PDB file of all heavy atoms in Angstrom:
ATOM      1  N   THR A 833     180.946 137.768  85.771  1.00  0.00           N
ATOM      2  CA  THR A 833     182.308 138.245  85.550  1.00  0.00           C
ATOM      3  C   THR A 833     182.383 139.768  85.299  1.00  0.00           C
ATOM      4  O   THR A 833     181.452 140.385  84.877  1.00  0.00           O
ATOM      5  CB  THR A 833     182.970 137.440  84.390  1.00  0.00           C
ATOM      6  OG1 THR A 833     182.132 137.512  83.252  1.00  0.00           O
ATOM      7  CG2 THR A 833     183.176 135.987  84.811  1.00  0.00           C
ATOM      8  N   PRO A 834     183.571 140.377  85.554  1.00  0.00           N
ATOM      9  CA  PRO A 834     183.732 141.789  85.434  1.00  0.00           C
ATOM     10  C   PRO A 834     184.182 142.227  84.044  1.00  0.00           C
ATOM     11  O   PRO A 834     184.555 141.419  83.190  1.00  0.00           O
ATOM     12  CB  PRO A 834     184.873 142.058  86.426  1.00  0.00           C
ATOM     13  CG  PRO A 834     185.783 140.886  86.303  1.00  0.00           C
ATOM     14  CD  PRO A 834     184.804 139.717  86.001  1.00  0.00           C
ATOM     15  N   PHE A 835     184.227 143.558  83.830  1.00  0.00           N
ATOM     16  CA  PHE A 835     184.582 144.085  82.514  1.00  0.00           C
ATOM     17  C   PHE A 835     186.081 143.993  82.188  1.00  0.00           C
ATOM     18  O   PHE A 835     186.475 143.993  81.038  1.00  0.00           O
ATOM     19  CB  PHE A 835     184.107 145.588  82.403  1.00  0.00           C
ATOM     20  CG  PHE A 835     185.083 146.560  83.021  1.00  0.00           C
ATOM     21  CD1 PHE A 835     186.204 146.933  82.320  1.00  0.00           C
ATOM     22  CD2 PHE A 835     184.886 147.022  84.303  1.00  0.00           C
ATOM     23  CE1 PHE A 835     187.083 147.836  82.905  1.00  0.00           C
ATOM     24  CE2 PHE A 835     185.748 147.896  84.880  1.00  0.00           C
ATOM     25  CZ  PHE A 835     186.888 148.348  84.198  1.00  0.00           C
ATOM     26  N   ASN A 836     186.896 143.919  83.242  1.00  0.00           N
ATOM     27  CA  ASN A 836     188.323 144.167  82.962  1.00  0.00           C
ATOM     28  C   ASN A 836     189.076 143.016  82.322  1.00  0.00           C
ATOM     29  O   ASN A 836     190.124 143.226  81.714  1.00  0.00           O
ATOM     30  CB  ASN A 836     189.045 144.727  84.217  1.00  0.00           C
ATOM     31  CG  ASN A 836     189.150 143.743  85.298  1.00  0.00           C
ATOM     32  OD1 ASN A 836     188.217 142.924  85.536  1.00  0.00           O
ATOM     33  ND2 ASN A 836     190.260 143.692  85.993  1.00  0.00           N
ATOM     34  N   LYS A 859     177.271 134.876  83.032  1.00  0.00           N
ATOM     35  CA  LYS A 859     176.722 136.245  82.849  1.00  0.00           C
ATOM     36  C   LYS A 859     177.926 137.188  82.773  1.00  0.00           C
ATOM     37  O   LYS A 859     178.488 137.582  83.821  1.00  0.00           O
ATOM     38  CB  LYS A 859     175.848 136.582  84.016  1.00  0.00           C
ATOM     39  CG  LYS A 859     174.764 137.607  83.747  1.00  0.00           C
ATOM     40  CD  LYS A 859     175.255 138.949  83.258  1.00  0.00           C
ATOM     41  CE  LYS A 859     175.792 139.847  84.337  1.00  0.00           C
ATOM     42  NZ  LYS A 859     176.381 141.100  83.803  1.00  0.00           N
ATOM     43  N   GLU A 862     178.308 143.522  81.059  1.00  0.00           N
ATOM     44  CA  GLU A 862     177.498 144.099  79.978  1.00  0.00           C
ATOM     45  C   GLU A 862     178.334 145.174  79.213  1.00  0.00           C
ATOM     46  O   GLU A 862     177.865 145.716  78.210  1.00  0.00           O
ATOM     47  CB  GLU A 862     176.214 144.726  80.554  1.00  0.00           C
ATOM     48  CG  GLU A 862     176.404 145.841  81.519  1.00  0.00           C
ATOM     49  CD  GLU A 862     176.675 145.463  82.918  1.00  0.00           C
ATOM     50  OE1 GLU A 862     177.333 144.448  83.169  1.00  0.00           O
ATOM     51  OE2 GLU A 862     176.298 146.181  83.861  1.00  0.00           O
ATOM     52  N   VAL A 910     183.404 137.378  90.114  1.00  0.00           N
ATOM     53  CA  VAL A 910     184.577 138.261  90.190  1.00  0.00           C
ATOM     54  C   VAL A 910     184.080 139.666  89.876  1.00  0.00           C
ATOM     55  O   VAL A 910     183.484 139.850  88.787  1.00  0.00           O
ATOM     56  CB  VAL A 910     185.680 137.813  89.226  1.00  0.00           C
ATOM     57  CG1 VAL A 910     186.817 138.786  89.224  1.00  0.00           C
ATOM     58  CG2 VAL A 910     186.226 136.391  89.579  1.00  0.00           C
ATOM     59  N   GLY A 911     184.401 140.596  90.713  1.00  0.00           N
ATOM     60  CA  GLY A 911     183.998 142.024  90.474  1.00  0.00           C
ATOM     61  C   GLY A 911     184.341 142.864  91.632  1.00  0.00           C
ATOM     62  O   GLY A 911     185.352 142.559  92.367  1.00  0.00           O
ATOM     63  N   SER A 912     183.634 143.944  91.860  1.00  0.00           N
ATOM     64  CA  SER A 912     183.985 144.869  92.916  1.00  0.00           C
ATOM     65  C   SER A 912     183.535 144.348  94.296  1.00  0.00           C
ATOM     66  O   SER A 912     182.640 143.468  94.378  1.00  0.00           O
ATOM     67  CB  SER A 912     183.304 146.233  92.616  1.00  0.00           C
ATOM     68  OG  SER A 912     181.892 145.994  92.571  1.00  0.00           O
ATOM     69  N   GLY A 934     186.577 140.047  95.120  1.00  0.00           N
ATOM     70  CA  GLY A 934     186.265 141.417  95.111  1.00  0.00           C
ATOM     71  C   GLY A 934     187.442 142.315  94.670  1.00  0.00           C
ATOM     72  O   GLY A 934     188.316 141.856  93.929  1.00  0.00           O
ATOM     73  N   CYS A 967     192.796 143.928  88.634  1.00  0.00           N
ATOM     74  CA  CYS A 967     192.672 143.680  90.090  1.00  0.00           C
ATOM     75  C   CYS A 967     194.024 143.366  90.742  1.00  0.00           C
ATOM     76  O   CYS A 967     194.112 143.447  91.915  1.00  0.00           O
ATOM     77  CB  CYS A 967     191.768 142.513  90.331  1.00  0.00           C
ATOM     78  SG  CYS A 967     192.417 140.980  89.678  1.00  0.00           S
ATOM     79  N   GLU A1068     189.588 152.018  96.066  1.00  0.00           N
ATOM     80  CA  GLU A1068     190.131 151.298  94.831  1.00  0.00           C
ATOM     81  C   GLU A1068     189.799 152.279  93.667  1.00  0.00           C
ATOM     82  O   GLU A1068     188.643 152.458  93.335  1.00  0.00           O
ATOM     83  CB  GLU A1068     189.454 149.945  94.608  1.00  0.00           C
ATOM     84  CG  GLU A1068     190.024 149.268  93.367  1.00  0.00           C
ATOM     85  CD  GLU A1068     189.290 147.994  92.979  1.00  0.00           C
ATOM     86  OE1 GLU A1068     188.100 147.869  93.206  1.00  0.00           O
ATOM     87  OE2 GLU A1068     190.000 147.100  92.485  1.00  0.00           O
ATOM     88  N   PHE A1135     194.114 131.159  92.364  1.00  0.00           N
ATOM     89  CA  PHE A1135     194.132 132.643  92.460  1.00  0.00           C
ATOM     90  C   PHE A1135     193.122 133.063  93.434  1.00  0.00           C
ATOM     91  O   PHE A1135     191.936 132.689  93.349  1.00  0.00           O
ATOM     92  CB  PHE A1135     193.789 133.168  91.070  1.00  0.00           C
ATOM     93  CG  PHE A1135     193.747 134.683  91.012  1.00  0.00           C
ATOM     94  CD1 PHE A1135     194.719 135.344  90.210  1.00  0.00           C
ATOM     95  CD2 PHE A1135     192.745 135.429  91.606  1.00  0.00           C
ATOM     96  CE1 PHE A1135     194.676 136.748  90.134  1.00  0.00           C
ATOM     97  CE2 PHE A1135     192.701 136.807  91.543  1.00  0.00           C
ATOM     98  CZ  PHE A1135     193.671 137.425  90.760  1.00  0.00           C
TER      99      PHE A1135
HETATM  100  P1  NAD B1020     181.259 145.110  89.065  1.00  0.00           P
HETATM  101  O1  NAD B1020     181.212 144.579  90.471  1.00  0.00           O
HETATM  102  O2  NAD B1020     180.650 146.425  88.809  1.00  0.00           O
HETATM  103  O3  NAD B1020     180.544 144.103  88.079  1.00  0.00           O
HETATM  104  C1  NAD B1020     180.878 142.698  88.081  1.00  0.00           C
HETATM  105  C2  NAD B1020     179.656 141.887  87.584  1.00  0.00           C
HETATM  106  O4  NAD B1020     178.594 142.057  88.507  1.00  0.00           O
HETATM  107  C3  NAD B1020     179.228 142.333  86.215  1.00  0.00           C
HETATM  108  O5  NAD B1020     178.801 141.162  85.474  1.00  0.00           O
HETATM  109  C4  NAD B1020     178.007 143.214  86.542  1.00  0.00           C
HETATM  110  O6  NAD B1020     176.987 143.153  85.527  1.00  0.00           O
HETATM  111  C5  NAD B1020     177.461 142.615  87.806  1.00  0.00           C
HETATM  112  N1  NAD B1020     176.849 143.617  88.710  1.00  0.00           N
HETATM  113  C6  NAD B1020     177.186 144.914  88.860  1.00  0.00           C
HETATM  114  N2  NAD B1020     176.448 145.482  89.823  1.00  0.00           N
HETATM  115  C7  NAD B1020     175.654 144.505  90.308  1.00  0.00           C
HETATM  116  C8  NAD B1020     174.653 144.523  91.348  1.00  0.00           C
HETATM  117  N3  NAD B1020     174.408 145.585  92.068  1.00  0.00           N
HETATM  118  N4  NAD B1020     174.019 143.346  91.579  1.00  0.00           N
HETATM  119  C9  NAD B1020     174.284 142.227  90.856  1.00  0.00           C
HETATM  120  N5  NAD B1020     175.222 142.220  89.886  1.00  0.00           N
HETATM  121  C10 NAD B1020     175.911 143.328  89.606  1.00  0.00           C
HETATM  122  O7  NAD B1020     182.793 145.110  88.656  1.00  0.00           O
HETATM  123  P2  NAD B1020     183.402 145.698  87.316  1.00  0.00           P
HETATM  124  O8  NAD B1020     183.390 147.169  87.366  1.00  0.00           O
HETATM  125  O9  NAD B1020     182.903 144.989  86.098  1.00  0.00           O
HETATM  126  O10 NAD B1020     184.934 145.165  87.460  1.00  0.00           O
HETATM  127  C11 NAD B1020     185.922 145.892  88.176  1.00  0.00           C
HETATM  128  C12 NAD B1020     186.034 145.346  89.586  1.00  0.00           C
HETATM  129  O11 NAD B1020     186.299 143.945  89.624  1.00  0.00           O
HETATM  130  C13 NAD B1020     187.187 145.945  90.408  1.00  0.00           C
HETATM  131  O12 NAD B1020     186.757 146.189  91.683  1.00  0.00           O
HETATM  132  C14 NAD B1020     188.276 144.862  90.345  1.00  0.00           C
HETATM  133  O13 NAD B1020     189.213 144.915  91.405  1.00  0.00           O
HETATM  134  C15 NAD B1020     187.389 143.638  90.441  1.00  0.00           C
HETATM  135  N6  NAD B1020     188.150 142.493  89.956  1.00  0.00           N
HETATM  136  C16 NAD B1020     188.601 141.621  90.902  1.00  0.00           C
HETATM  137  C17 NAD B1020     189.281 140.518  90.489  1.00  0.00           C
HETATM  138  C18 NAD B1020     189.842 139.551  91.491  1.00  0.00           C
HETATM  139  O14 NAD B1020     190.358 138.530  91.059  1.00  0.00           O
HETATM  140  N7  NAD B1020     189.734 139.801  92.814  1.00  0.00           N
HETATM  141  C19 NAD B1020     189.566 140.327  89.124  1.00  0.00           C
HETATM  142  C20 NAD B1020     189.084 141.232  88.209  1.00  0.00           C
HETATM  143  C21 NAD B1020     188.351 142.326  88.617  1.00  0.00           C
END
Side-chain angles (χ1 to χ4, degrees):
T833 53
F835 81 82
N836 67 322
K859 206 302 282 176
E862 65 278 31
V910 176
S912 59
C967 64
E1068 182 186 34
F1135 180 112

